[in-house]
Amino acid sequence: MAGDRAATTGTAASVEFRQATKRYRGQDAPAIQSLTLEVPAGDICVLVGPSGCGKTTALRLVNRMIELTDGDILLDGQSIRKRPAAELRRGIGYVIQQVGLFPHLTIGENIGTVPRLLGWDRQRIAERVNELLELVSLPDDLRDRYPAQLSGGQRQRVGVARALAADPPVMLMDEPFGAIDPINRERLQNQFLRLQAEIRKTILFVTHDIDEAIKMGDRVAVLRKGGVLAQYATPPELLMHPADDFVEDFVGADRALKRLSLLRVRDVDLWKAPLAHAGRPTADVRAALAEADVPHPLLIDSEGRPVGWLSERDLAHDTVPETPDTAAEPIVELDDIVRDALSDLLRSDTQYGPVVDEHGRVAGVLSVELISHFLSSSRATEQAMGPAERVAS
Amino acid sequence: MAGDRAATTGTAASVEFRQATKRYRGQDAPAIQSLTLEVPAGDICVLVGPSGCGKTTALRLVNRMIELTDGDILLDGQSIRKRPAAELRRGIGYVIQQVGLFPHLTIGENIGTVPRLLGWDRQRIAERVNELLELVSLPDDLRDRYPAQLSGGQRQRVGVARALAADPPVMLMDEPFGAIDPINRERLQNQFLRLQAEIRKTILFVTHDIDEAIKMGDRVAVLRKGGVLAQYATPPELLMHPADDFVEDFVGADRALKRLSLLRVRDVDLWKAPLAHAGRPTADVRAALAEADVPHPLLIDSEGRPVGWLSERDLAHDTVPETPDTAAEPIVELDDIVRDALSDLLRSDTQYGPVVDEHGRVAGVLSVELISHFLSSSRATEQAMGPAERVAS
Amino acid sequence: GSDNNDNGSSSSGAGGKLIKSNSANGDVTVKVGSKNFTEEFILGEIDAQALEAAGYKVKRDLNLGSEQIAFKALKNGNIDGYPEYTSTALTSFFGKKATDIPSDANQAVDQAQTDFSKVGLVAFAPTPFTSANAVGMLKKRADQLGLTKVSDLKGKSLNLTLYGSPECRQRPDCLVGLEQNYGLKFKKFVPVDIGLRYEVLDKKQADLSIIFTTDAQLSTRHDVVTLADDKHVFPPGNVTFVARKSTVNKAGADMQKTIELVQQGLTLKVMRELNARVDVDRETPRQAAREYLKESGYTK
Amino acid sequence: MLSSVVVPVLAQVQIRSRSGNSCIEKNRLCPGWIVDHFDRYTQPLVQHVVLTVTSVAIGFAIAFALALLTRRRRWAVGPILGFTGILYTLPSLAVFFLLLPITGRGTLTAVIALTAYTLQIIFRNIIIGLENVPVDAKDAGLGMGLTDRQLLWRVELPLALPDIVAGLRIASTSTVGLATLAVFAGAGGLGSEIISGSNITFKTGVVAAGGLALLLALALDVVLLVAQRLLTPWRRVNAA
Amino acid sequence: MIHPTFALLSNFSGAFDFIFHTREAQTGGVHVGGLHQVLSFTWEHVKLSGAAILIACAVAIPIGLVLGHAGKGELVAITISNVGRAVPSLALIAFFVAYIGVGFTNVTLALVLLAIPPILTNTYIGVRQVDPEVIDAGRGMGLTAVQVVRRIELPLALSSMFGGIRTSAVNVVATATIAPLAGVLTLGDFILSANVYGADGRLAGAILVALLAVAVELAFATLQRVVSPKGLKVST
Ligand SMILES: Nc1ncnc2c1ncn2[C@@H]1O[C@H](COP(=O)(O)OP(=O)(O)OP(=O)(O)O)[C@@H](O)[C@H]1O
Ligand SMILES: Nc1ncnc2c1ncn2[C@@H]1O[C@H](COP(=O)(O)OP(=O)(O)OP(=O)(O)O)[C@@H](O)[C@H]1O
Ligand SMILES: [Mg+2]
Ligand SMILES: [Mg+2]
């Protein structure tokens, strides 16, 4: 199995558009206009833009479902024009919105299509099918069912498995989750990101939903009508420095908040809390307060778990009391998404939240102020998670 | 016209579920389980919940597309059981997800269906149709087109107009915007809310999207699997005090932020900014600073428009300089949604944002701290806009 | 009914043949039938139109099919009468051997008469012309094989194909006769629609084809010959109008008188000409019949 | 006696001289002849039209009634399709003669056979048409308070019309073809001009009669098509 | 006139007697009817129809597949089927007899012409009905045009295709009944040469032809069910 699995995590190739242009017959305006962008091997590049802007066209140019009018596209530096279309396509996974499973073939046969074209022996195909079913976490008794007998979500995953069958270095996905309702959609997105963390393919992913783009993309290419590239950047860059008004509108007014959903608390360098243990002399605490970012000391128990904030009144005694005035609410975890943490901070009146590690020990303090500082600092960009980590938890 | 318009803004009836229960034949688990809730006349009640939880069923019980197994439903205190189904339905507007316009009838004939059933004369029907087209802001040359000739959004509005034709006191809408892509969806929601502000019908509205529920509902009924009512409350209540874990999960981890999208900056009672005019003696400014919430004075021009924040160094001179150290970024408007304002504040390093009225004159200062205070105060609930106001701008 | 004929002849002369319409016949309806080939259509139409001229109401049910169908239709009153060949009647209806058929038309009719009357039918006086089946072939082929009469076929028939109407297979005055009386065996016999009897010769599909002596083609085209029936298996038949006694009584003298009158003109030459007008000139039987009655002076 | 009558030579039918090389005598395809002798085909043509139209009309009436019956009895659709399917399958020629003992020769027999043939085509299309009516249109109709009957006449039938007409078109065209066999049932029609007597060897005649049947079929098809277009204006608009 | 139903009974008993026992021909001379003759005519009938259908398939299916795959010739396919339906089978046979001649080959050809339209059209429609997304996916996976036809379009079109063959088969069997007009002795001979076989023979012929047609219909209906892909039959 391990060996087989290796196969799935094997190859990945860079994809490069060079002045790629497509003008449909009988249409004067081009659907894609000298599009130039490079997708590093193993990355997810999301093509996003309003309906009719040329996303599907761009995608289908890559596996030559549509022929270029002008310019070129390179896979691992080699022009697609040089290779016979059919052979080229077998080396590129293709998942379309409506999945398009073959209704007359079993799930197993569907997934095995390309390997069969490549002339693998039955034994090998069978193994590969099982392996892929496991990979997309489908029970392997589905193998002999027909597409009509599967739920929308299951079909979706079969579609992905089928595209992965011959372990293609590149995958094209056209609104793969477009047809699915918001609730299941989220689940599928996460499953897929976990899968990608494992297989690390180069993926071109089309959507018209900016949130999906930000969630799924290592890099996002925003297209505007006429297939013109408006901006090509990582999600954080996109949110922080929209290239122009079109992009700014497209990413939405609350883009700063969107950016927070790309961050985990551990990415922010937290404030040091002036810590205090019950029974210790308050003098030391006051001393510590001096060079602390937080105006109040945080009382912790013997295991270092936060108990509460000490008020001036608490410090009036000369030893730190057992029970502080205000509880240490809300408690934030290192793995929390910053966006949710902020939401908690805003909800509870306090400006500060003690941050704890997996053992519940205080690791620092998060504050609204800190978050805004952090956002405006460039670090947010570097720190931002790749899509895969976003679903680690 | 005014008179006619009166007609559309006329009646509205309360709807009351009393222990309403529906058990489909051949199914042991009920789809709706002793559902009890009352919708005041003129309110929008949103039924929300995961797929299969019984939303559609609940809705269709009201106009007897499905017959109650047990319990009762009252319109204006009168049981629906007492009235013949067909006649009952003519008194209830019904908009289904797929709109379901009659493809063989013109827009005019579609809208005029129920009036024709009620035996109105041609003259009156024609007038009503024009009036409704205007109401849903469709050009009345659409009257003689066929549904196939309309865009999705236009069809949607025709569907609404048709449901309103006989000025029914109650409207049922099953995922009316479910089929429409996120971008147009927002526009339609706003149009509809403006319309409702005008007609004030009693509306039962089904969606599975919590954001839509919060946006559209005067009150939101969260259903859980099996058609059990999990919570029935106004959006702010729902967000602030979820009844249980199911609801809490369903409304999402960032519910505080969601709540902010129900508020406009004018609803928050803003901080007073210590204002300063160029050329005035700095002494007065220092004095003003004393009892101000904001540590820095805000320089304004002769029209009272914000110019920038004055630093300590600026105050070193004895008259206020023309050009301050730091610009007054970001500038927030009274009509901005608090959520977007927060986003702006977080983006720009500063903690404060001057708030201006429609003339650009300073009306106060908004700060992240202020927002969190405001949120935790109960006032957020009272202040929260009804659905109609949310789209006033 | 000879005295009818006397009246007919006595009242004849130049215009004497002219059929007079008798208003008394107006309330009698006669259903005239016919079998399903050209000659029968023409005869049926002649009788029908003549009766109309005499003032009768006439219904037509031509194209009945074979003699069996026509005979049955006649017996159970679906039709009141139709033209039939004496020979066919005797062989097909009354089981006479083809060889025993009297060559004199009137004797043949008289023979049939008794049998007919048993089933409530009466046969009118026969036509002058006689018609019989014949073995026809292309002249070239005949000369080539040196054939003039049927018996010449002996020994040669085994590699010759014979085409004929379907019923020919089972008819003593057709294939059966050829096999039994002449002792001939053919390469194969192919039954085809009766209308195709010359087609198959022209298309070289048939060496031999069963044709009728009254066929127009025999006078119009000279590339077809008939082989002499030296053993008399093809009894000549004159046509007699067979009618239901009941109808005849109801219809009165005019019916039989008229029909026998118009049949007098039907000599072999005339019959072939009329067939020619339909089969070669492609007139409708109704048209040919009308012309016949006019040109012979039976109608204006 | 007879002979004495026969002897006096009558005014003779004139024997035409035939060169044998006119188009007709050569039995070629002679369009000119068709034009000149068109009247020859009027009666058969009329018979043919009557046969076809009556059969399809009756067939439609029955099929429609059956379709309405099955609205409340879905289970009946299968059996009806099965039974009419057999009627459809039975070769008309066979049906003519199966009926002969009961209804005898003539138009009645032919019409019964042809009607039986059309039943399934029409019935199936009516059912398909009603099933193809978009569920949401029906749902909306009911939701707006249309009674079952109103729903049928105002929503379902109009929307099913294209499928129903499609059925009628198939039925009428194929019935025109089958009606040529009516001659075997003694019901005349264009078939008589094709086979009776020596017609089957008459190249020009076969083409003329066959062609007329073809034209008649297409004419009926066009009529129905036009009727449908007039009745379904909403299908002519080009979608937005 | 005898009471219809009674006449009916007597008629049919006569007809069945004709099928199972030989009897003297109406015209005298030889014996007709009986199982042996029935079987030989049936065999001829089947042989004629079968030949016609096979040839028609060989011609129509490839054309249908190609047209359907190319998405071209919509008009052609539809027109062919409409005209095909409108052409009277009788006229077609007569036409062949008048112009080409009688005999097995000629009649077969006439029947082939009759059989082609439904097969061609249904094949075409079957292919066109395949969900474009599925074909798109196929091409996207690197199937060549031929492979798309063979692995996707053909299997998915099979059911519709056999629907067409079924229609043709029934038509052909029915039309083969008038083949005796052109010198091919099918079951139709019992009907057309009634003066040989008599009323009983004719009725027997009608019954036999009807039975044969129904049998063919059922056979092909079953076949159609068998060949239609399992994946399309499973209940969701
Ligand atoms: N086959 C075609 N022939 C002509 N024009 C086409 C064709 N396919 C697409 N177009 C046009 O090219 C433009 C881009 O189409 P494309 O499908 O790539 O847009 P898209 O971004 O995928 O839109 P959507 O988000 O709705 O899928 C559109 O204006 C479309 O009308
Ligand atoms: N006609 C029916 N017969 C039997 N069960 C039904 C029927 N309609 C719905 N159900 C069941 O009742 C439950 C509630 O169905 P309902 O359509 O009301 O859910 P919903 O909330 O509208 O779902 P969705 O958001 O997907 O529309 C589901 O489990 C469904 O399977
Ligand atoms: Mg697209
Ligand atoms: Mg629902």
Side-chain angles (χ1 to χ4, degrees), chain A residues 254 256 339 343 349 368 373, chain B residues 254 256 339 343 349 368-369 373:
Chain A
D254 61 346
R339 190 159 184 275
S343 180
D349 196 356
V368 177
H373 282 308
Chain B
D254 61 347
R339 190 158 183 275
S343 182
D349 196 355
V368 177
E369 190 185 347
H373 281 308

Side-chain angles (χ1 to χ4, degrees), chain C residues 85-146:
Chain C
Y85 299 84
T86 51
S87 52
T88 311
L90 289 169
T91 52
S92 300
F93 304 158
F94 309 127
K96 296 276 186 307
K97 289 244 166 308
T99 39
D100 313 346
I101 308 284
S103 48
D104 174 76
N106 298 319
Q107 286 177 23
V109 176
D110 296 341
Q111 263 193 35
Q113 205 60 271
T114 47
D115 295 303
F116 276 129
S117 57
K118 286 204 199 80
V119 285
L121 301 176
V122 12
F124 294 177
T127 54
F129 80 87
T130 43
S131 167
N133 290 354
V135 177
M137 64 192 304
L138 292 179
K139 191 165 188 314
K140 266 222 250 62
R141 195 103 171 78
D143 302 346
Q144 198 175 61
L145 299 166

Side-chain angles (χ1 to χ4, degrees), chain B residues 160-318:
Chain B
V160 174
R162 184 177 65 174
L164 284 169
D167 188 31
V170 178
M171 298 257 290
L172 310 176
M173 309 180 77
D174 192 349
E175 309 208 12
F177 309 127
I180 296 160
D181 71 87
I183 294 142
N184 299 308
R185 189 174 183 158
E186 171 115 26
R187 234 190 34 257
L188 283 170
Q189 290 172 333
N190 297 344
Q191 284 169 341
F192 179 73
L193 287 176
R194 280 197 212 87
L195 176 60
Q196 165 67 354
E198 200 169 336
I199 59 177
R200 286 284 172 209
K201 295 287 172 195
T202 312
I203 296 171
L204 269 68
F205 186 110
V206 164
T207 178
H208 57 242
D209 172 359
I210 183 67
D211 294 324
E212 188 171 57
I214 288 166
K215 174 167 188 180
M216 305 297 287
D218 290 297
R219 318 175 123 268
V220 177
V222 183
L223 296 182
R224 66 158 56 92
K225 202 130 199 86
V228 179
L229 182 61
Q231 184 167 9
Y232 183 46
T234 63
E237 279 165 20
L238 194 68
L239 291 168
M240 218 165 350
H241 315 295
D244 56 22
D245 296 356
F246 169 76
V247 179
E248 184 157 6
D249 283 2
F250 197 78
V251 294
D254 61 347
R255 42 185 236 264
L257 293 178
K258 286 210 175 87
R259 230 161 82 216
L260 290 179
S261 56
L262 300 180
L263 296 167
R264 290 188 186 288
V265 173
R266 60 167 75 259
D267 303 325
V268 184
D269 38 20
L270 303 165
W271 281 347
K272 297 249 147 312
L275 300 180
H277 294 269
R280 295 286 191 74
T282 49
D284 315 1
V285 180
R286 291 191 181 284
L289 261 186
E291 67 268 9
D293 309 302
V294 193
H296 302 289
L298 179 59
L299 177 65
I300 56 173
D301 62 18
S302 52
E303 273 77 38
R305 286 190 297 265
V307 182
W309 296 107
L310 296 172
S311 65
E312 275 309 316
R313 220 155 20 70
D314 294 321
L315 295 181
H317 320 75
D318 32 4

